[in-house]
Amino acid sequence: AEAFPFTENPFPKRRNAFTREEVLDIQEYCARRHIAITPTLQVWSHALWMTGHPDWEKMYEGTPSNAWSSQPCPLSQEARDLTAMAIKEHLELFKPKDFFLMMDEFYLGPHGVCPKCKNADLLELFTGIVKQSEGQVLEAGITPIICHDSFLNVDSRWTIGDALREKLDKRTNILWWNYTDVLREPNLIPFKDF
């Protein structure tokens, strides 16, 4: 979303966004070559694209361990609205068959630390935001794709992954990815009936 040409640009400091015409040119180029574009938007984890919003400080969950682990507060209506707007505009511009919501590495971001959700149930918080984004894509008749790792119990800080996976719609595709040793051990068995 850092370079996405929003029609109602909520990111006044962003200067290097594509124009809609450039995106349409890319789509036309791909269509002539039978290449499908699957738009990708980091929602609820690694939401660095949101940090350029002038009201980011009202939306964020807490100070992340590093900038790329920025995470909005799951109870922030502004963050929910901004995410829904970004998904809607991506769907309208690309008209894709699939939409990659990422949602990877929830466990790396701060969670349950801001005043709004400090005492909230973590599973309830994340179920709400996952269902909102997943549901928006499904309602448009498009298949959501989500990374697997947030839907496993990864470590002692993130023990809701298994329960959260059970909340996913069966029409959602899971992308199994791994680029480090961190996730080599999890077994694929939890996904066998998905």
Side-chain angles (χ1 to χ4, degrees):
E2 286 87 349
F4 187 81
F6 290 105
T7 55
E8 295 181 32
N9 189 353
F11 302 98
K13 296 178 185 171
R14 201 156 279 152
R15 304 264 188 262
N16 297 316
F18 286 106
T19 65
R20 293 183 88 70
E21 292 74 26
E22 288 171 326
V23 172
L24 293 173
D25 285 347
I26 292 167
Q27 287 178 302
E28 185 180 310
Y29 176 89
C30 290
R32 285 193 313 264
R33 288 158 180 81
H34 308 283
I35 299 169
I37 296 175
T38 300
T40 300
L41 181 66
Q42 280 282 14
V43 296
W44 303 109
S45 65
H46 301 313
L48 193 57
W49 66 273
M50 294 178 95
T51 63
H53 193 280
D55 293 328
W56 169 246
E57 289 184 7
K58 296 176 189 172
M59 293 185 257
Y60 86 122
E61 178 60 23
T63 305
S65 56
N66 50 56
W68 59 268
S69 288
S70 299
Q71 184 171 302
C73 168
L75 292 178
S76 165
Q77 191 58 51
E78 295 91 347
R80 285 175 175 251
D81 292 345
L82 185 60
T83 300
M85 179 276 301
I87 291 171
K88 176 179 172 278
E89 288 209 19
H90 278 78
L91 294 177
E92 288 172 352
L93 183 59
F94 288 103
K95 298 174 183 56
K97 178 181 166 241
D98 303 298
F99 191 88
F100 195 13
L101 292 167
M102 295 294 289
M103 294 191 190
D104 65 314
E105 299 179 329
F106 279 156
Y107 51 90
L108 291 180
H111 42 270
V113 296
C114 82
K116 288 181 184 175
C117 55
K118 194 173 208 163
N119 297 315
D121 178 83
L122 200 59
L123 179 59
E124 210 172 282
L125 285 176
F126 279 88
T127 297
I129 59 175
V130 167
K131 296 307 283 180
Q132 174 191 329
S133 299
E134 177 191 52
Q136 183 180 356
V137 173
L138 287 167
E139 284 174 24
I142 295 162
T143 303
I145 303 170
I146 299 174
C147 290
H148 82 285
D149 61 323
S150 289
F151 303 93
L152 290 171
N153 291 351
V154 175
D155 61 25
S156 61
R157 286 186 53 229
W158 189 254
T159 60
I160 66 166
D162 291 344
L164 189 57
R165 183 181 62 254
E166 297 303 318
K167 309 285 186 186
L168 290 173
D169 189 285
K170 298 296 183 201
R171 295 171 288 174
T172 295
N173 287 334
I174 304 294
L175 173 73
W176 185 270
W177 70 282
N178 180 20
Y179 63 88
T180 70
D181 289 336
V182 175
L183 297 173
R184 290 230 165 122
E185 294 307 314
N187 195 322
L188 284 171
I189 290 173
F191 292 95
K192 71 178 174 25
D193 294 324
F194 194 81

